[in-house]
Amino acid sequence: MSDARSESPTDRQHPDNTTERLEIFSDGVIAIAITLLVLDIKVPEAEPGELLHELGVQWPAYVAFLLSFTVIGIMWVSHHSMFERIRHVDRGLLFTNLLLLIGIAFLPFPTSLLAEYTKQGGDNSHIAAAIYSATMALIGLAFVAIWTYLARHPDLLVEGVEPANLRRSIRRSYVGPIVYAASIALAFISAIACYFVYAALAVYFIWGPSTRALLPARGRAEVASAEQPGASED
Amino acid sequence: MSDARSESPTDRQHPDNTTERLEIFSDGVIAIAITLLVLDIKVPEAEPGELLHELGVQWPAYVAFLLSFTVIGIMWVSHHSMFERIRHVDRGLLFTNLLLLIGIAFLPFPTSLLAEYTKQGGDNSHIAAAIYSATMALIGLAFVAIWTYLARHPDLLVEGVEPANLRRSIRRSYVGPIVYAASIALAFISAIACYFVYAALAVYFIWGPSTRALLPARGRAEVASAEQPGASED
Amino acid sequence: MSDARSESPTDRQHPDNTTERLEIFSDGVIAIAITLLVLDIKVPEAEPGELLHELGVQWPAYVAFLLSFTVIGIMWVSHHSMFERIRHVDRGLLFTNLLLLIGIAFLPFPTSLLAEYTKQGGDNSHIAAAIYSATMALIGLAFVAIWTYLARHPDLLVEGVEPANLRRSIRRSYVGPIVYAASIALAFISAIACYFVYAALAVYFIWGPSTRALLPARGRAEVASAEQPGASED
Amino acid sequence: MSDARSESPTDRQHPDNTTERLEIFSDGVIAIAITLLVLDIKVPEAEPGELLHELGVQWPAYVAFLLSFTVIGIMWVSHHSMFERIRHVDRGLLFTNLLLLIGIAFLPFPTSLLAEYTKQGGDNSHIAAAIYSATMALIGLAFVAIWTYLARHPDLLVEGVEPANLRRSIRRSYVGPIVYAASIALAFISAIACYFVYAALAVYFIWGPSTRALLPARGRAEVASAEQPGASED
């Protein structure tokens, strides 16, 4: 693989200017979205002596904050890990990445919806949880779309990323959207049950593939070697 | 062209420190403006069982979010593409760029206005759409102004940017402000009709000149070669 | 001057890691503060056919947005220009810079106050304008403090910054706080009159010293030569 | 120490790509959180002539803004100082750092709570101060956790960081969480008294260990030498 293309090894191992800029821009959007989440936690109006009680009533706001913060944090890890493998950006990748950013930037809204309507319970809580699940599933699909796009345009990748590794990344990227999509159905039974699924997925991603994918990437050169067939991570 | 100036080729192909800083600062403002758009989508107050209906009623908020997000995303692409060609910033460029940033940072307000008053319909929806169109037209004019300024100050550009290419960039940059300005008139007939114009313009920019301009820019050196008369992109 | 210190010319011309990080962090705070200003422009609640009128009533919000955006933009220019001359950060500089950032991050509040109470007129408009002027004067004093600190700690500067140039920078940095402080008194006569002073100061800074200070700084090496006594900018 | 590991001195002294990205991402979250604090200061609704009085009534909002701004500023200094010593990030460090960021991004909420309920006094003010203290204590514990993690994983550090220095950093990092935890008890006696503890801690950190830790770090190479046993900072 490396022979056919290697006129200039350094060029093939380093991201170009636009790729770096797109990663920084994406990092910016992700950092802002993750920090805006706190605006969903409202200061309650409490009668004297009632503040602790009023704060307790809005527990879903804290849990939703923690869940969304953790998931966006994981998404940042996944996004950075993905861009470690990209050296050039074309139009398709640019706008597929924009789709992903739309989803992440939108997330404070379903988070706010979930925080607000879980405590009310009933149909509204089901709708709120279903919308949260659906948003997460769509963001997950955007990751699938980017990985798939990269597999079909290997010229966008840094040298040494093996097709087998890409296929594994694609397979793994289906876990998120499939489980989140399934939780849409669960939402119509119980919104609270969905919280446990969200938390379980977060734990899975933290202990699982997202960070494992990240860890070998100690630099462009090592990405290549870490991705060789002999260095299987499974 | 290259002979007359080339005392130090590297200096003429790389942006100086202030130029890089200005691009990062602009990226920051654009990333924040694009992420603040979600604050315009309010959590509705819904009676039990009414959430889905209440969410449906505010459909203009989602469409306005998507439109403004996409357009700001395209503006980021255009802005980065423009700065790929700039190596030095002077006072005129600095403050013309500030004008552009004012427009982009202001955009969440007309977006919010459009989202709020489209559903009310009538005169107010016409005014809201007209203001949105006018803001977009002014932002487009800021792009025209920067391109025109660059054409008159070729010493600000990296080496190898051909006057013919600049003239083409200027011509193309008129498309946005002209169509948006025309949509001001349309706004007084129908706000909804304007949504279709906005969406059509977004599609045009995604498939059209903005990203085409971006793609050849794989590095300062290649900008130069991609811009040679023989490598016409039309 | 250059002889006494030049063990390692590159070390004395380039900012260290912490200095670069502090500039990026400051840029981030400034970019966020400038973009948050739009949140002060509220979507009015308008009866059918009344939107244009309601939007017109809140004209101070647009003017305040424009004024604060322009001034923060100028501050970014001044701040970057200042950091072009700094190569090392010590504790005093770190926390003097933090004082400046507190002022800039606080600015959306007096901007909002000015926007809200100018239209009410009377005593409240005087108070609002006085607070806006006072905030600006304090931010200006933070700039004076940093320049003065740098003059007393020349070891923090890149090589080649002449004391005469620093003294000129200090003298010029007094213009802002003095005029803003004077406008506190004016505020108690007329808030509207203050708008004209703010606008005049913005024009002064755009055409005047802030950007002139920036322009020669085409790179660390050129900073030095541009600051030589023979190359007076006055 | 340097002999045992020095296959490639440059690799051991410079952070890898992911480490740099994580620091930039963290800087972004911290810059946004610090700038969002201003949104907690509300424009009061004032009758004619009552603005100054109404602004005076909400003095806790200004003090809380100043305290949280200063503390987050100090945290940025500590965080940057810590990352000056890190050259590689693993999963544990990644998610311990995420815990820290959750705390910092959450801080605008307890700040808002403190601002709102100090003026009401009584039980609610005690609860608000206790929550503020507890949040700060938890953020402090996240710093302790990261330092401890680093001490147990010396392979993550740049070359030349002495165990003795790390142990000192760990010991010092306990000061914050211990004093903040103690102030939880004080909160139930007087919220105002807590303000003085918060202010005293801020002064301690500004004049004390946080910045002292930062100052020798004039570059990766000097970090190493500044940390040698002979160069004790105590």
Side-chain angles (χ1 to χ4, degrees):
Chain A
M1 182 175 185
S2 60
D3 296 53
R5 303 199 206 145
S6 60
E7 312 91 350
S8 163
T10 35
D11 281 344
R12 309 214 56 94
Q13 287 181 11
H14 291 284
D16 61 22
N17 194 22
T18 299
T19 307
E20 287 196 326
R21 213 44 144 203
L22 184 60
E23 185 174 2
I24 293 176
F25 182 74
S26 304
D27 281 8
V29 169
I30 296 173
I32 300 157
I34 211 174
T35 321
L36 286 183
L37 290 170
V38 75
L39 300 182
D40 289 339
I41 310 181
K42 308 292 184 196
V43 172
E45 293 185 26
E47 297 297 307
E50 293 296 313
L51 181 57
L52 197 60
H53 173 71
E54 294 293 342
L55 288 171
V57 167
Q58 66 183 29
W59 65 265
Y62 316 124
V63 180
F65 171 79
L66 281 177
L67 285 173
S68 288
F69 197 102
T70 308
V71 169
I72 297 182
I74 292 165
M75 284 170 188
W76 176 80
V77 171
S78 304
H79 191 268
H80 172 61
S81 165
M82 201 160 64
F83 267 73
E84 284 277 289
R85 282 146 185 80
I86 298 174
R87 94 183 154 76
H88 180 58
V89 167
D90 69 1
R91 186 187 314 191
L93 184 55
L94 197 64
F95 286 97
T96 317
N97 187 67
L98 194 67
L99 273 180
L100 177 64
L101 294 185
I102 287 179
I104 294 176
F106 183 69
L107 205 50
F109 174 66
T111 303
S112 196
L113 217 53
L114 189 66
E116 188 62 28
Y117 285 101
T118 302
K119 58 185 176 189
Q120 198 188 80
D123 272 6
N124 287 357
S125 73
H126 299 162
I127 296 291
I131 288 171
Y132 190 87
S133 294
T135 305
M136 286 297 193
L138 288 172
I139 294 173
L141 282 180
F143 273 108
V144 171
I146 298 180
W147 279 118
T148 306
Y149 191 88
L150 289 174
R152 290 185 188 165
H153 298 78
D155 53 306
L156 303 179
L157 297 167
V158 295
E159 199 173 303
V161 178
E162 289 294 323
N165 285 295
L166 271 182
R167 282 195 298 272
R168 196 166 52 206
S169 291
I170 295 175
R171 277 201 312 276
R172 283 169 175 169
S173 68
Y174 274 105
V175 173
I178 287 175
V179 178
Y180 279 120
S183 74
I184 298 177
L186 183 64
F188 288 100
I189 302 170
S190 163
I192 306 282
C194 286
Y195 278 68
F196 288 94
V197 174
Y198 304 153
L201 266 176
V203 170
Y204 166 74
F205 284 125
I206 289 176
W207 259 259
S210 300
T211 45
R212 201 185 307 151
L214 181 67
L215 300 182
R218 299 185 189 190
R220 300 285 157 181
E222 290 179 62
V223 168
S225 65
E227 295 286 351
Q228 281 164 10
S232 171
E233 318 163 32
D234 279 74
Chain B
M1 182 178 185
S2 60
D3 296 53
R5 303 200 204 143
S6 60
E7 312 92 349
S8 164
T10 35
D11 280 344
R12 309 214 57 93
Q13 287 181 12
H14 291 285
D16 61 21
N17 193 22
T18 299
T19 306
E20 288 196 325
R21 213 46 144 201
L22 184 61
E23 185 174 2
I24 294 176
F25 182 73
S26 304
D27 281 7
V29 170
I30 296 172
I32 299 157
I34 211 174
T35 321
L36 285 182
L37 290 170
V38 74
L39 301 181
D40 289 339
I41 310 181
K42 308 292 185 196
V43 172
E45 294 185 23
E47 297 297 308
E50 293 297 313
L51 182 57
L52 197 59
H53 174 71
E54 294 293 341
L55 288 171
V57 166
Q58 66 183 28
W59 65 265
Y62 317 124
V63 179
F65 171 79
L66 281 176
L67 285 174
S68 288
F69 197 103
T70 308
V71 169
I72 297 182
I74 292 164
M75 284 171 187
W76 177 79
V77 171
S78 304
H79 191 267
H80 172 61
S81 164
M82 201 160 65
F83 267 73
E84 284 277 290
R85 282 147 184 78
I86 298 173
R87 90 181 158 79
H88 180 58
V89 168
D90 69 1
R91 186 186 316 191
L93 185 54
L94 197 64
F95 286 96
T96 318
N97 187 67
L98 194 66
L99 274 181
L100 177 63
L101 293 184
I102 288 179
I104 294 176
F106 183 69
L107 205 51
F109 174 66
T111 303
S112 196
L113 218 52
L114 189 67
E116 187 63 27
Y117 284 100
T118 302
K119 57 185 175 189
Q120 199 188 82
D123 272 6
N124 287 358
S125 73
H126 300 162
I127 296 291
I131 289 171
Y132 189 88
S133 294
T135 305
M136 286 296 193
L138 288 172
I139 294 173
L141 282 181
F143 272 108
V144 172
I146 298 180
W147 281 118
T148 306
Y149 192 87
L150 289 174
R152 290 184 188 165
H153 299 78
D155 54 307
L156 303 179
L157 297 167
V158 294
E159 199 172 302
V161 179
E162 289 294 323
N165 285 295
L166 271 182
R167 282 194 297 271
R168 196 167 50 206
S169 291
I170 295 174
R171 277 201 311 277
R172 283 169 175 170
S173 69
Y174 274 105
V175 173
I178 287 175
V179 178
Y180 280 121
S183 74
I184 299 177
L186 183 63
F188 288 98
I189 301 169
S190 162
I192 306 282
C194 285
Y195 279 68
F196 287 93
V197 174
Y198 304 153
L201 266 177
V203 171
Y204 166 74
F205 284 124
I206 290 176
W207 259 259
S210 299
T211 45
R212 200 185 307 152
L214 181 66
L215 300 183
R218 301 186 188 191
R220 299 284 159 181
E222 289 178 62
V223 168
S225 64
E227 295 284 351
Q228 279 163 11
S232 170
E233 319 164 31
D234 279 74
Chain C
M1 182 177 185
S2 60
D3 296 53
R5 301 200 206 146
S6 59
E7 312 92 350
S8 163
T10 35
D11 281 343
R12 307 213 58 93
Q13 287 181 13
H14 291 285
D16 60 22
N17 194 22
T18 298
T19 307
E20 288 197 325
R21 212 45 144 203
L22 184 60
E23 185 174 3
I24 294 177
F25 182 73
S26 305
D27 281 7
V29 170
I30 296 172
I32 299 158
I34 211 173
T35 321
L36 286 182
L37 290 170
V38 75
L39 300 182
D40 289 340
I41 309 181
K42 307 292 185 197
V43 172
E45 293 185 24
E47 297 296 307
E50 292 296 313
L51 182 57
L52 196 59
H53 173 72
E54 295 292 342
L55 288 171
V57 166
Q58 65 183 29
W59 66 265
Y62 318 123
V63 180
F65 171 80
L66 281 176
L67 285 174
S68 288
F69 198 103
T70 308
V71 169
I72 297 182
I74 292 165
M75 285 170 186
W76 176 80
V77 171
S78 305
H79 191 267
H80 172 61
S81 164
M82 200 160 65
F83 267 74
E84 285 277 290
R85 283 148 184 78
I86 298 173
R87 92 183 155 79
H88 180 59
V89 168
D90 69 1
R91 186 185 317 193
L93 184 55
L94 197 64
F95 286 96
T96 319
N97 187 67
L98 194 66
L99 273 180
L100 177 63
L101 293 184
I102 287 179
I104 294 176
F106 183 69
L107 205 51
F109 174 66
T111 304
S112 195
L113 217 52
L114 189 67
E116 187 63 27
Y117 284 100
T118 302
K119 57 185 175 189
Q120 197 188 81
D123 272 7
N124 287 357
S125 73
H126 300 162
I127 296 290
I131 289 171
Y132 189 88
S133 295
T135 305
M136 287 296 194
L138 289 172
I139 294 173
L141 282 180
F143 272 107
V144 171
I146 298 179
W147 280 119
T148 307
Y149 191 88
L150 289 174
R152 291 184 187 165
H153 299 78
D155 53 307
L156 303 179
L157 297 168
V158 294
E159 200 172 302
V161 179
E162 289 294 323
N165 286 294
L166 271 182
R167 281 194 299 270
R168 195 166 51 206
S169 291
I170 295 174
R171 277 201 312 275
R172 283 169 175 171
S173 69
Y174 275 105
V175 174
I178 288 174
V179 179
Y180 280 120
S183 73
I184 298 177
L186 183 64
F188 289 98
I189 302 169
S190 162
I192 307 281
C194 285
Y195 280 68
F196 288 94
V197 175
Y198 304 152
L201 266 176
V203 171
Y204 166 75
F205 284 124
I206 289 176
W207 259 260
S210 299
T211 44
R212 199 186 307 152
L214 182 66
L215 299 184
R218 300 187 188 190
R220 300 284 158 182
E222 289 179 63
V223 168
S225 65
E227 296 284 352
Q228 279 164 11
S232 171
E233 319 163 33
D234 279 74
Chain D
M1 183 177 186
S2 60
D3 296 55
R5 302 200 204 147
S6 59
E7 311 93 348
S8 164
T10 34
D11 279 344
R12 309 214 56 94
Q13 287 182 11
H14 290 285
D16 61 21
N17 194 21
T18 299
T19 307
E20 288 197 326
R21 212 47 144 200
L22 183 61
E23 186 175 2
I24 294 177
F25 182 73
S26 305
D27 281 7
V29 169
I30 296 172
I32 299 157
I34 211 174
T35 320
L36 286 182
L37 291 170
V38 76
L39 300 182
D40 289 340
I41 309 180
K42 307 292 184 196
V43 172
E45 293 184 26
E47 297 296 308
E50 293 296 314
L51 182 57
L52 198 59
H53 174 71
E54 295 293 341
L55 287 171
V57 166
Q58 66 183 27
W59 66 265
Y62 317 123
V63 180
F65 171 80
L66 281 176
L67 285 173
S68 288
F69 197 103
T70 309
V71 169
I72 297 182
I74 292 165
M75 284 171 188
W76 177 80
V77 171
S78 304
H79 191 267
H80 172 61
S81 165
M82 202 161 64
F83 267 73
E84 285 277 289
R85 282 146 184 82
I86 298 173
R87 96 186 150 77
H88 180 58
V89 167
D90 69 0
R91 187 185 313 192
L93 184 55
L94 196 64
F95 286 96
T96 318
N97 187 67
L98 194 67
L99 274 181
L100 176 64
L101 294 185
I102 287 179
I104 294 176
F106 183 69
L107 206 50
F109 174 67
T111 303
S112 195
L113 217 54
L114 189 67
E116 187 63 27
Y117 285 100
T118 302
K119 57 185 175 188
Q120 198 188 80
D123 272 6
N124 287 357
S125 73
H126 300 161
I127 296 291
I131 289 170
Y132 189 89
S133 294
T135 305
M136 287 297 195
L138 288 172
I139 294 173
L141 282 181
F143 272 108
V144 171
I146 298 180
W147 279 119
T148 307
Y149 192 88
L150 289 174
R152 291 185 187 165
H153 298 78
D155 53 307
L156 303 179
L157 297 167
V158 294
E159 199 172 303
V161 178
E162 289 295 323
N165 285 296
L166 272 182
R167 282 194 299 272
R168 196 167 51 207
S169 291
I170 295 175
R171 276 200 312 277
R172 283 169 175 169
S173 68
Y174 275 105
V175 173
I178 287 175
V179 179
Y180 279 120
S183 74
I184 298 177
L186 182 64
F188 289 98
I189 302 168
S190 162
I192 306 282
C194 285
Y195 280 67
F196 287 93
V197 174
Y198 304 152
L201 265 176
V203 170
Y204 166 74
F205 284 123
I206 289 175
W207 259 260
S210 299
T211 44
R212 199 184 309 150
L214 182 67
L215 300 182
R218 299 186 189 191
R220 300 284 158 181
E222 288 178 64
V223 168
S225 65
E227 296 285 351
Q228 281 164 10
S232 170
E233 318 164 33
D234 279 74

